[in-house]
Amino acid sequence: MPRPADPAIPPRPDPSRPAAMSAPDPGALLAWYDRHQRRLPWRAEPGTRQDPYRVFLSEIMLQQTTVVTVAPYYAAFLARWPSVKALAAAPLEEVLSAWAGLGYYARARNLHACARAVVERHGGAFPDTEAALLELPGIGPYTAAAIASIAFERRAAAVDGNWERVLARLFAVEEALPRAKARLRALALTLLPETRHGDFAQAMMDLGATLCTPRKPACALCPWQGSCAAHAAGAPERYPVKAAKSVRPTRQGVAFLAVRADGAVLVRSRPPRGLLGGMSEVPSTDWVEGGPADPALAAPMALEWQPLNAAVGHVFSHFALELAIWRARAPALTPAPKGHRWVRPEGFDAEAFPSVMRKVLEYIG
DNA sequence: TAAGCGTGGCT
DNA sequence: TAGCCAAGCTT
């Protein structure tokens, strides 16, 4: 039961907020959103509710990935697998092949596993609560809240990187990410409106993506400028504070590019989990700092291997790779060694080649 | 809690 | 150029 403040005890000022600053009003953000929302392929027409499968598909693809990159993949997936049942019925290899180039391939494996779980556990209909969504593979706190709010109008805080940046600035949070995540989530819960939960989630993302950007935020256009502690302090770009990043090491390896007389290339599939799990690759040595001691020991078969005067460079999230190319010609009808297969260039699109392997394949010659 | 996990665009 | 950044999840 709330009681009136004791006039003898002045309210404690919020140290992150000057006394004259007003609290952020969710209604002001929603009014801004009504005028400035982005039209994106996975968004429903204003005033209508989006198909949960489309929200799910787009949210998984958008994890750590830009709108521009996702758009063509989203269209291709939706055309090929228009429903969660269709996706669940697809072979994993086809899903990985369609995902190739988008990165973070565990997302594709989990997307497929999640579709199957929705069919098997929920009869093909996505559960409509944050808690039930959180039980599904590949769906974490953000995605569960995003689907619950956007597809089902549940009151939930879909705190992504945009929300975190907006909140860190509004409240001038000095604690550094990622440690500050719990604090930012608590602040998010205080801002949730009583209506329009899906719109609010997307309004926060649009605000972060278009005005409250990492660099050079457009504070003059912001509906919350008068409520923002970072703006009041004259240093919006100082937030969110981030922990120092560790250095990225470089690993070296040798890729063995065997080209048969009919143009086919020797290929294999990577182990089902871990880096590039389940994806197709040109066989190679291990990728290690300092490089492999004796690359020849890792050759997939006995051929006249010729080191090329070229190397593929590629940057992963936690290491950089320098991949030397050894190439060899194999006679027609040469059988593939165990665990390998020959694939002609016409078949490349059906393979799940990640970007680094597409670079290697440029050297077929 | 922190590390592992892709890729491409931008500055 | 080399680092930063983008609608995070899993272990």
Side-chain angles (χ1 to χ4, degrees), chain A residues 3-323:
Chain A
R3 55 190 170 81
D6 185 338
I9 304 176
R12 180 188 307 179
D14 183 337
S16 69
R17 178 167 297 278
M21 188 169 296
S22 61
D25 172 21
L29 179 64
L30 286 165
W32 171 84
Y33 181 71
D34 287 336
R35 282 177 281 121
H36 299 290
Q37 67 178 282
R38 294 176 294 169
R39 303 302 300 271
L40 300 170
W42 39 87
R43 282 194 178 165
E45 293 298 309
T48 69
R49 198 176 289 190
Q50 182 58 288
D51 172 13
Y53 171 66
R54 298 188 185 207
V55 179
F56 160 71
L57 180 61
S58 63
E59 291 300 342
I60 301 296
M61 287 185 167
L62 286 162
Q63 289 168 9
Q64 302 290 285
T65 309
T66 59
V67 163
V68 170
T69 300
V70 164
Y73 284 87
Y74 174 79
F77 267 68
L78 199 59
R80 188 165 176 182
W81 299 296
S83 68
V84 67
K85 289 184 181 178
L87 182 60
L92 174 61
E93 296 72 34
E94 290 187 15
V95 176
L96 289 177
S97 169
W99 195 277
L102 198 51
Y104 283 142
Y105 298 99
R107 292 185 297 169
R109 304 193 299 269
N110 286 330
L111 179 88
H112 186 249
C114 184
R116 294 196 162 173
V118 167
V119 168
E120 289 165 13
R121 300 183 209 166
H122 301 283
F126 276 88
D128 65 355
T129 67
E130 196 177 355
L133 287 161
L134 202 47
E135 297 297 312
L136 293 166
I139 295 185
Y142 161 75
T143 306
I147 298 173
S149 58
I150 297 169
F152 298 114
E153 276 302 320
R154 297 282 187 176
R155 192 167 186 268
V159 182
D160 71 333
N162 289 302
W163 284 53
E164 288 180 343
R165 186 170 55 257
V166 170
L167 292 162
R169 288 174 177 170
L170 278 178
F171 297 97
V173 173
E174 298 294 342
E175 188 178 16
L177 285 171
R179 180 182 295 274
K181 280 178 179 291
R183 184 185 307 277
L184 292 169
R185 176 168 188 81
L187 289 168
L189 291 173
T190 70
L191 286 186
L192 295 183
E194 295 301 326
T195 62
R196 300 187 63 185
H197 304 299
D199 284 348
F200 184 77
Q202 294 173 98
M204 287 287 279
M205 295 183 219
D206 278 14
L207 185 69
T210 64
L211 298 186
C212 197
T213 49
R215 288 180 295 260
K216 301 185 187 305
C219 298
L221 303 176
C222 181
W224 278 344
Q225 181 181 354
S227 305
C228 183
H231 179 260
E237 287 185 84
R238 202 164 80 75
Y239 305 92
V241 180
K242 299 201 171 184
K245 288 195 169 72
S246 53
V247 295
R248 175 160 31 213
T250 297
R251 301 181 189 173
Q252 284 92 24
V254 175
F256 298 98
L257 195 52
V259 184
R260 205 168 59 174
D262 63 348
V265 173
L266 191 66
V267 165
R268 66 185 179 189
S269 292
R270 293 178 60 87
R273 280 173 293 278
L275 182 70
L276 307 176
M279 304 295 286
S280 304
E281 69 172 359
V282 172
S284 77
T285 65
D286 287 341
W287 304 342
V288 293
E289 288 181 60
D294 189 350
L297 294 177
M301 57 190 300
L303 292 170
E304 296 282 329
W305 294 105
Q306 306 286 343
L308 299 191
N309 187 20
V312 162
H314 193 76
V315 180
F316 293 92
S317 54
H318 57 298
F319 68 93
L321 177 65
E322 294 171 3
L323 203 49

